[in-house]
Structure formats: structure tokens, C-alpha cells
Amino acid sequence: MSGHVREWPAYRPQAIEPKWQREWEGRGLYEARETPDRPEFYCLDFFPYPSGEGLHVGHCRNYIPTDVIARFKRMQGYNVLHPMGWDAFGEPTEQFAITHGIHPRESTDRNTANFRRQMTLIGCSYDWTREIDSSDPRFYRWTQWFFLLLYKSGLAYRDTSWQWWCPVCQTTLSSHEVSGGVCWRGHSGVTKREIPSWYFRITKYADELISGLDQVDWPESIKTMQRNWIGRSEGYEIDFKTEAGERIPVFTTRPDTVYGATFFVLAPEHPMVARLAVPSQRAEVEGYIAAAVGKSEIERQAETKEKSGVFTGAHITNPLSGERIPVWIADYVLPTYGTGAVMGVPAHDQRDYGFARQFGLPVKVVIAPPIEDSKIEDWKIEDPKIEDWKIEDWKIEDWKIEDLRLPEAHTGPGIMVNSGPFDGLANEEGIQRIGEYLEERGVGRRAVQYKMRDWLISRQRYWGTPIPIVYCQNCGVVPVPEEQLPVLLPAMADFAPDGSGRSPLARLPEFVDTTCPECEGPARRETDTMGGFACSSWYYLRFASPHYDEGPFEPEAMRYWMPVDVYVGGAEHAVLHLLYARFWTKAIADAGLVPFREPFARLMNQGQLLGPAGQRMSKSRGNVIIPDEMVAQYGADALRVYEMFMAPFEQDVAWSTEGINGARRFLNRIWNLYAEGYDASAQFQEEDPDLERRLHKTIRRVTQRIADFRFNTMISTLMEFANELSERQRSGNWRSGSFHQALETVMLLLAPAVPHIAEELWQMTGHAGSVHEQTWPDWNEDLARDEVRQIPVQVDGKVRGVVELAVDATQEEAEEEVFSRGGIQQRIAGREVEKVFYVPGKIFSIVTKAGQRM
Ligand code: ANZ
Ligand code: ZN
């Protein structure tokens, strides 16, 4: 083809990419500026722990899309803050250092250098002048400062009680970091130990941590996990009375079942246990307690396991029914929830049911299921009256479980029976009425309970932020004065824990022995360090003014940049980091230091990238693919295209070599388009209105799709348009002003996604400056408007609605449009969709599983 402006070499990303990376870095293109003439945009990745293995292509699914957004926003005229730093303090780093026999300082520096190199390699546009490292004294000085702030605000306190202890990590852990007896690092066998520890009072913010979720644009699944984690329960405390006249309150969410309590259970740790147990039972009770405290909460609460327990020999009186019921001790009742005591209602609570079964205790039905409830059949009450039951028929006080053959507790709604003056009420109403009644009689009150516990921050480990506290014989607990910060982490060659349960720092007298800041007498330093989640709870604030040394952040910079506009990372951080950071922000806001209460306005979680065979990428499976190799073979831009195109952003997907090959072919096609079709000197006479319309639609779609995190369809839009252009080139239909204009614009549209090839083309086609400093193209609404058609939608063969679709809508776009319609969703009504057909321009058809059977 003619029209060459100059000799075009072949597309060789390996030559182009490092050249531009050096050039951009040298020109400070990505340094975040705070100028009043532009709006700001803060685009942040989760704080990575710089592991020794470096990045694999799975991590790139996080860093590439955020890079695209940062570049896109810059071109849209924003001052963009897109920083990177290292979550270098904490357990993973220390463990790596111990296994590899190097000091964590050295491994951290080595690993962060490697991460930085790899991130540059894939074209990330971070502002490296703002790089931070949480293990750097210039950073952790402020982590300590925040500890003191929490301390002064009454949000940090020391407590000695049973803590989770991981025998492998050799440290105490927060209850948040333990699940099913396994610690967050994957070690099983977590037990409990009594070690004095520091806690952060996150429970003070429980309600706001729930309500604040309504103000942020986060995935619903993460919000739900946080709500469940906080676990707010509304209920009542009801006072039962011992023979000696002492009150023991229970916490219940079901006051409507109070007449159904047939026994009473105390947690083994309950303070009343010792006083209640009658002498003949005492030995058995003590034996039971000793066994119970060693078990994990999970073991104790498992619904399946056989219940264990022991009778105290004592009885207690139900304040409403006046019944005397036996008091038991059982480990399924936890000391840390509610009041540590429950009323056992076996007919309506599954755990109580299991307990009653186990020990032959009576079961008393007080909520009768609606007659149409199929369960009634299963109950097999051999009583003809059941057919047309009336409330009177349910006077079954003395029914034993043998008679009733209740196969399980009836936990659903129903009508109250056997409940004195409340008989006949719907149980939901009963909750209200019994609540009022309890309050009137002064034997109960409203109560709210949370599952979430305070956050234990002490770690008996070396590699962390030293807790800035001193213990003095005269003055007690003394915070280290601000001007003495940082309390430096001393160098230590042998920093492995020694099994004593104390921090390795306790072995250094020169660290431990100090003088009291208040009385100047002899004092000892706290030797525990803070868990790594302390650093990640505030690091995002530091990026706004990373070199500021009069405080953790410069107030002006804080107001300018925060909150984070988009925050991107893996879904595994749903509760720990993302909850802790919200808590710190609220505490900092209450101290009057920041004007916002939620740190992350929008959150997105990328899907996992699995190995080629669909398994998790891991060193042990040997299926880890690293970007270095892919970049060497295909180029960073091809890797970027493939990572975005492989699947919707949030979806898990397996790696495919064919896929990255395809991405590379796409870039070759783009390159050739310019090599053969770009003519800067020609004067074009002709117009191509059809191409112009397509161009403006492409601009609109690419713009909207980046903003919506639909990177895969953003790429396919670019591919379709490139095909369109190639098509015209092949048919010789390309010497128009419209074609030329399209080529000019496509370079800009490509720039965020494939920054290197876009820059090279920009330069090859004789433009000045960097393509990344250009303004993002606008579309003309008249030209971009889709020609639409009314398409009937069938569900299981019947037309159930009509949607408006662009004539050139793809199957994917059509599905998106159809399934977002409430009316269609109603028609499907929860049935599983089996197949979907779209006959372009004619009909959209949905076949459901149930529909197929019909
Ligand atoms: C009587 C009852 C009857 C209950 C019934 C439930 C159903 P959530 O929703 O999780 O807050 N409970 C209270 N304190 C406990 C503790 N320390 N250890 C174990 N269980 C405890 O659960 C509240 C219910 O959990 C409470 O309501 C109590 O059992 C139990 F048909 O009281 B319920
Ligand atoms: Zn002192």
C-alpha cells in the first residue's frame, strides 16, 4: 500500500517498552500534582506484602486495571494520585526471613526492589516519589503516634484474659484472625493462652461500621460479610432468679419463647457457677470446666457435635411462668456473648433441642407452626384433634420429647401457645408484647449484642511496630511522649521466638530497660509489637503527603486527596483490613483530624487468575506464571490486553496461552494499520459518515466501559473498531478524512490500556509531547447514538416483554440489557436459566431449567 510517511519497522515491544518506561519516569509524568485548576482522583491498590516470590500474572489483574483507570483519569483532566507502597511489617515478611535465613530488613529491601521492577515492567504509572514502606521508621513513627492517639481517646486498652494463641506463629492473635481453629496464616491448632495484651476498642464503632456501609459503593457481598462479622442482634435481657434470690440475666432474641424454657444453661466460665453448684455436684462441675476452657469457640458451637454438659444441682425461676427449671453448665454457651447464660428453649432452638435430646430434658412447644406448614406432618402427633386444631388443644405442658417426636426445633414463625396471657398471638407480635411486659414488671430490658470482639493488637514477635508504652513501678502504664517517637525497632540478629511466649525484644536489656518519661525512675518498655494490620489501617492517608514530618499527614493534602475514589484488591480482605481501616478512619475523624468518616468511596475486587488447568497458582503446584516471561515473549502491552480481555473483571478465570497470543495478534494488527494506513501529509477530500458514526460510538463505549470496570468489553470494542478499519484498508476504502481522524483518535483510546504502543505510534506519526498528556476524546452524542430496535423477549417460549437494543448489540450487551430488567427477572422468578439465545435484531429467548421440564 502507498502512503508511507517513513519507513516503519516491525512491531517489537521489547525494544519500545523499556525505552518509554525510562522516558516517562525521567519526565516525572506520573507525579501527582495538587493544583487548584483540576479536580482530583485517588486510585489505590491494596497495600501489597512484598513477598519473596515477586508478582505473578494473577497480581497483574489488580495492577493493570487500576493503571488503566489512573491513565484514563489523567487524560480526562484530573490530578491523579496513583501511589504504591509496601506492607512490609508483620508475620509474612518475618516468616520469609526466618525460612530463608536472612534478616527481614534485607529481604524487605530486596523484595520491594523486585516488585518495583516488575510493576514498571508491566507499565504501571505509579508515582514512585511517594513510595512508602511500613517498616521504615519514618512511617512507623506515625503508626506509633496513632497508637497513642487511640490510647488517649480511650480506644486502646490493656487486658489480661484468654487470648487466641497460634503455636506456629508463636503469638497471640485477634479473634478476627482465627476461624475454625485456624489462624489467618493457615496454621491449625490455635489454642488459648492467658497473656496481657493490648486491644483496640473497635466495638465502640459497631453501629457506625454497619450504617456507614450504606454510604459507600462497595460490592454487596463484602458489605454482607462485614455486617455478619459485626453480627448485631437485637433482643432482651430477662432476669431469672436463683433460690437464694440472686438475679441471673439471659440474653435472648426470642422473648416470645420464654414460656418454653425447660432448663437454664451457664457458660462454664460464668462467675455464678461456683456459687450455684451443690456440694454433691461440685467435683463433676469442676472437671467439666477444666475440659471446656481449652476448646475453641468453633468446637464448642458446632451444631452437629454431641452436646456435653453437667447439672449443677440448682434450680432457677422463670420470671414470667414462675416455673422452677434446672440449671446446667454447658460449653455451647460462650462466656463472651450476651450474659454468658441462656434460657434453654428446646422446642424452638436447635442447639437447645440437641441438648435436651442428649440429657432427656422436657420439650415444651410454645410456638405452634401454621397448620399448612408441611412440618406438622412430620411431628406425627397421634392426636386426631390436630386436623382442626384450636389453641386450646395445645396445652401440652407435660409433653416429653418422646411423645412429641419433634424431629427438630421449630424455629420459624407461628402462633403462641402454652404462654399464659399471650396465647393466640402471632409470635412476631408476641416479641413486642412480652418485651413490654418484661419492662413493666422490671424483670427484663432491651439489649443489643454484637458478635464482633475488640481487636487484639499485641504480637509477641520481632518484625513489627514497637508498641510505644513504658511500664513504671511508680506511675504504672505510661505512654511514650510524642517527641520521643519513634521507638526504634532495635537491630537483632537472632529474632526468632524462643517458645517462652514473650517477644524476642524481651531478650534485649538495652531495649527493655529505660527510664520513665514521667518520674524518670527505672521503667521497662513494652516488648510486644503491633500486628501488621495496624500499618495497613492508615497507610492510605500517608500517600497524600508521604514526606511530611510534622504529623502523619499534611491537613491540606488530606482534604485535597481523600477519600480514596477507587480502591482495588482481592476479596479475601473483606473483613480484616477493610474493617480495621474503616475503624481507624472513624477514630481519627472523632479526634478532629480528618473531615471524612469512610476512607474508600468505591471498592472493587478482581477475580482470581487460576493456572492453565484451572487450579490456584502456587509454587508447590509449579503452575505459577510470572509477568517477566510473558513480557519478554509477548510484550507488556499484550499482557495488559490479555489480562483485561480474559474475563469480566470480577470473575475467576484460568490462564490460556492461546489468549495472550490473540492479544499479541491484535497489537500487530493495530501496528500495521498505522504502518500502512497513516498518512500525515495527505489532503483527504472524501468523507465516510458511516465510519464517523462508528468512531463516536467507539469513543462512547470505551469511555463508559473503563468507568464501569468493564475492561473486557472495553478491549472488545477497540478490537471491533480496529477490524472495521482493517476491513476498509483491505478494500482500498481508506483515503478519507474520516479514516485519518479515526486513526488519530484510536491512539488516544489505546493509551490507557496499552501505553507503550500508543506512545510509539504517537511518536511515529509525528506528534509532539506524550500521548499520555493528551486530552481524552469526546464523542458527539448525535453521531454516537445507537440506532435501536424493539426486541421481544421470550421466557420459556412465551413473549414476556420487549427491550430496546442497539441494532449492532452483541449477545453480551443484549444479555446485560435484558437481565437488568425487573420485569423479566420477575418472570424468571428465581428459576435457573438454562439457555439464552439472541437472534440479532429479531428476538431474545430465555429457557429456564424448570421451563424445560414442562
Ligand atoms: C432463647 C431462644 C429461643 C433463643 C429460641 C433462640 C431461639 P443471635 O441471633 O446469634 O444473637 N445465646 C445467647 N447468649 C449465648 C451465649 N453466650 N452462648 C451461646 N448462645 C447464646 O443468638 C441469640 C440467641 O443465642 C439467644 O436467644 C440465645 O438463645 C443464644 F427459640 O434465647 B435464644
Ligand atoms: Zn514512672
Side-chain angles (χ1 to χ4, degrees):
M1 240 169 247
S2 60
H4 294 237
V5 241
R6 54 202 274 196
E7 257 337 288
W8 281 72
Y11 172 48
R12 281 203 47 237
Q14 293 78 3
I16 294 172
E17 293 174 351
K19 175 184 75 180
W20 287 120
Q21 286 159 9
R22 276 192 302 273
E23 168 88 13
W24 298 330
E25 183 71 39
R27 292 185 46 198
L29 219 53
Y30 304 125
E31 283 171 27
R33 273 170 261 273
E34 287 152 42
T35 54
D37 57 317
R38 286 168 177 241
E40 62 75 33
F41 193 86
Y42 187 176
C43 175
L44 183 65
D45 297 300
F46 282 12
F47 202 30
Y49 140 63
S51 77
E53 277 97 56
L55 296 179
H56 62 58
V57 290
H59 303 114
C60 301
R61 268 194 99 186
N62 184 165
Y63 305 132
I64 291 169
T66 49
D67 186 64
V68 174
I69 292 176
R71 291 176 179 279
F72 166 70
K73 283 287 174 184
R74 287 189 200 102
M75 291 177 78
Q76 280 197 325
Y78 288 80
N79 283 329
V80 171
L81 176 56
H82 187 43
M84 182 43 72
W86 318 111
D87 192 9
F89 253 159
E91 193 57 21
T93 307
E94 185 175 314
Q95 211 48 56
F96 177 87
I98 291 176
T99 352
H100 290 77
I102 41 174
H103 196 274
R105 176 74 270 146
E106 199 188 316
S107 67
T108 297
D109 293 342
R110 194 191 295 177
N111 295 347
T112 55
N114 186 43
F115 265 59
R116 206 162 38 235
R117 182 190 62 76
Q118 286 184 302
M119 287 171 167
T120 304
L121 193 72
I122 61 172
C124 290
S125 60
Y126 295 121
D127 175 356
W128 290 111
T129 66
R130 294 182 185 238
E131 182 180 2
I132 58 179
D133 170 349
S134 61
S135 65
D136 182 332
R138 287 168 297 178
F139 181 92
Y140 71 70
R141 168 185 180 187
W142 302 114
T143 309
Q144 293 173 338
W145 188 91
F146 280 119
F147 181 97
L148 297 177
L149 179 75
L150 294 176
Y151 181 76
K152 282 176 229 150
S153 317
L155 293 169
Y157 64 94
R158 195 159 179 257
D159 188 27
T160 304
S161 55
W162 288 96
Q163 332 283 4
W164 292 113
W165 168 267
C166 172
V168 184
C169 296
Q170 292 204 32
T171 180
T172 51
L173 296 166
S174 164
S175 62
H176 302 213
E177 291 168 331
V178 178
S179 139
V182 177
C183 89
W184 71 290
R185 301 279 299 136
H187 309 131
S188 57
V190 172
T191 56
K192 290 209 155 180
R193 266 205 180 184
E194 213 166 353
I195 294 178
S197 295
W198 284 92
Y199 287 85
F200 291 145
R201 208 181 295 281
I202 188 172
T203 51
K204 184 186 164 198
Y205 289 94
D207 281 326
E208 201 199 330
L209 287 168
I210 294 174
S211 62
L213 292 171
D214 296 336
Q215 297 157 27
V216 291
D217 179 8
W218 286 22
E220 212 40 58
S221 58
I222 302 270
K223 291 188 182 184
T224 304
M225 281 173 80
Q226 292 212 348
R227 284 189 200 105
N228 291 344
W229 181 260
I230 298 165
R232 185 179 198 275
S233 275
E234 275 182 34
Y236 280 85
E237 267 180 28
I238 304 180
D239 298 332
F240 282 62
K241 224 176 223 158
T242 67
E243 316 272 70
E246 283 177 292
R247 289 187 311 129
I248 305 184
V250 297
F251 172 70
T252 179
T253 47
R254 296 289 305 275
D256 54 318
T257 65
V258 63
Y259 286 85
T262 55
F263 57 95
F264 191 91
V265 196
L266 295 172
E269 297 88 343
H270 196 285
M272 288 296 285
V273 169
R275 245 177 302 162
L276 274 177
V278 301
S280 60
Q281 292 293 95
R282 217 158 265 165
E284 209 187 327
V285 165
E286 276 161 19
Y288 183 77
I289 294 172
V293 291
K295 292 190 199 165
S296 75
E297 284 185 19
I298 317 297
E299 286 173 75
R300 287 172 59 157
Q301 292 247 299
E303 286 206 357
T304 48
K305 85 162 176 83
E306 286 214 334
K307 295 282 177 289
S308 69
V310 52
F311 179 43
T312 60
H315 287 79
I316 200 159
T317 305
N318 182 324
L320 290 205
S321 70
E323 278 172 319
R324 264 176 95 247
I325 53 176
V327 180
W328 286 66
I329 295 168
D331 64 8
Y332 78 96
V333 177
L334 303 175
T336 47
Y337 191 67
T339 63
V342 305
M343 57 178 193
V345 185
H348 306 293
D349 179 276
Q350 195 56 36
R351 277 195 301 247
D352 295 344
Y353 177 89
F355 193 80
R357 274 261 191 228
Q358 183 93 19
F359 296 103
L361 296 162
V363 176
K364 181 177 165 191
V365 173
V366 290
I367 307 294
I371 195 73
E372 67 275 14
D373 191 322
S374 63
K375 264 195 198 149
I376 206 103
E377 265 304 297
D378 304 334
W379 288 24
K380 300 223 173 54
I381 303 168
E382 270 124 42
D383 181 341
K385 279 180 291 189
I386 199 74
E387 296 304 319
D388 51 349
W389 65 275
K390 297 181 219 64
I391 284 156
E392 299 83 75
D393 301 331
W394 284 78
K395 296 291 180 196
I396 48 174
E397 280 97 342
D398 302 321
W399 284 20
K400 289 263 168 36
I401 199 154
E402 297 81 55
D403 305 329
L404 197 54
R405 278 189 265 154
L406 196 61
E408 57 181 15
H410 170 64
T411 55
I415 304 296
M416 293 175 66
V417 294
N418 290 315
S419 297
F422 301 96
D423 280 357
L425 285 179
N427 79 303
E428 286 93 348
E429 200 190 335
I431 292 180
Q432 296 299 318
R433 296 277 292 275
I434 292 204
E436 287 160 17
Y437 189 69
L438 288 166
E439 277 174 323
E440 278 163 26
R441 308 244 326 246
V443 290
R445 61 213 71 85
R446 277 177 192 283
V448 176
Q449 280 298 321
Y450 302 90
K451 294 267 161 15
M452 181 173 66
R453 302 272 77 101
D454 277 340
W455 167 16
L456 184 158
I457 194 65
S458 299
R459 299 292 176 276
Q460 292 74 38
R461 295 298 298 245
Y462 170 67
W463 191 242
T465 307
I467 294 177
I469 290 286
V470 155
Y471 303 100
C472 166
Q473 276 179 354
N474 301 322
C475 315
V477 175
V478 181
V480 175
E482 262 176 48
E483 55 288 358
Q484 287 178 26
L485 300 182
V487 175
L488 283 174
L489 181 66
M492 221 180 158
D494 175 19
F495 52 85
D498 56 14
S500 65
R502 292 187 319 161
S503 160
L505 293 177
R507 305 199 294 260
L508 292 183
E510 63 276 25
F511 177 79
V512 177
D513 299 329
T514 183
T515 50
C516 169
E518 278 175 18
C519 72
E520 296 187 352
R524 295 171 57 81
R525 281 193 193 282
E526 168 67 66
T527 54
D528 287 352
T529 54
M530 289 183 237
F533 286 112
C535 316
S536 55
S537 290
W538 77 277
Y539 80 103
Y540 47 90
L541 303 175
R542 188 67 182 162
F543 282 129
S545 47
H547 310 294
Y548 188 66
D549 60 9
E550 282 156 50
F553 45 74
E554 204 259 299
E556 265 313 305
M558 187 70 354
R559 267 195 292 281
Y560 186 74
W561 292 112
M562 285 295 292
V564 174
D565 292 280
V566 272
Y567 194 32
V568 181
E572 68 277 10
H573 289 283
V575 283
L576 293 168
H577 160 59
L578 289 171
L579 197 65
Y580 291 155
R582 296 181 60 223
F583 157 60
W584 275 48
T585 297
K586 292 175 195 308
I588 295 169
D590 281 342
L593 299 177
V594 299
F596 50 89
R597 303 191 68 84
E598 286 291 340
F600 314 124
R602 184 179 187 194
L603 175 76
M604 290 297 280
N605 302 122
Q606 77 274 7
Q608 259 196 61
L609 180 48
L610 307 165
Q615 293 165 311
R616 237 189 114 90
M617 275 192 205
S618 76
K619 220 172 147 191
S620 57
R621 284 206 185 86
N623 62 352
V624 176
I625 297 171
I626 60 168
D628 310 52
E629 287 165 13
M630 293 303 118
V631 169
Q633 201 172 340
Y634 302 94
D637 284 337
L639 177 66
R640 292 170 67 105
V641 166
Y642 174 50
E643 295 251 354
M644 286 185 270
F645 187 59
M646 54 174 50
F649 176 76
E650 293 178 277
Q651 196 174 299
D652 293 352
V653 61
W655 177 269
S656 130
T657 304
E658 190 32 52
I660 192 165
N661 268 314
R664 175 58 194 268
R665 283 195 299 273
F666 163 60
L667 294 177
N668 287 341
R669 211 174 314 136
I670 294 275
W671 183 266
N672 293 335
L673 202 55
Y674 287 84
E676 292 162 16
Y678 188 88
D679 189 345
S681 56
Q683 297 291 315
F684 299 108
Q685 304 301 331
E686 278 165 53
E687 293 299 316
D688 186 341
D690 176 54
L691 187 65
E692 259 172 62
R693 267 196 304 280
R694 283 171 194 269
L695 172 65
H696 283 265
K697 275 185 204 181
T698 300
I699 301 173
R700 192 197 68 206
R701 286 185 187 161
V702 169
T703 308
Q704 291 172 345
R705 282 166 190 186
I706 295 177
D708 294 346
F709 271 75
R710 284 154 60 198
F711 301 100
N712 59 327
T713 52
M714 179 267 283
I715 295 289
S716 58
T717 301
L718 286 167
M719 287 176 167
E720 279 162 28
F721 192 61
N723 285 344
E724 191 64 39
L725 293 170
S726 301
E727 198 54 50
R728 277 183 164 64
Q729 220 173 36
R730 256 197 299 282
S731 59
N733 180 23
W734 62 283
R735 298 200 61 84
S736 66
S738 317
F739 189 90
H740 185 73
Q741 188 50 45
L743 288 188
E744 291 286 357
T745 308
V746 165
M747 286 186 276
L748 301 175
L749 296 179
L750 287 170
V754 282
H756 313 87
I757 191 174
E759 187 79 312
E760 184 73 8
L761 292 173
W762 189 252
Q763 198 213 6
M764 289 293 286
T765 52
H767 292 84
S770 166
V771 70
H772 302 294
E773 291 171 319
Q774 307 309 309
T775 302
W776 186 254
D778 258 335
W779 66 88
N780 176 327
E781 195 56 61
D782 288 335
L783 292 175
R785 190 170 297 130
D786 285 319
E787 192 189 323
V788 292
R789 207 159 281 170
Q790 307 288 320
I791 306 295
V793 180
Q794 285 189 342
V795 179
D796 295 330
K798 291 207 182 73
V799 174
R800 297 298 195 183
V802 175
V803 291
E804 211 174 68
L805 290 176
V807 279
D808 56 351
T810 61
Q811 164 111 13
E812 194 182 19
E813 288 161 352
E815 282 178 28
E816 242 179 60
E817 186 59 35
V818 169
F819 288 106
S820 66
R821 295 299 175 90
I824 302 288
Q825 283 297 355
Q826 247 170 31
R827 290 294 183 185
I828 301 170
R831 279 173 287 169
E832 205 179 317
V833 173
E834 176 85 19
K835 282 197 201 95
V836 168
F837 305 97
Y838 176 50
V839 185
K842 298 222 161 61
I843 194 155
F844 193 98
S845 172
I846 301 167
V847 180
T848 70
K849 275 238 162 87
Q852 258 194 342
R853 242 175 277 127
M854 289 185 327

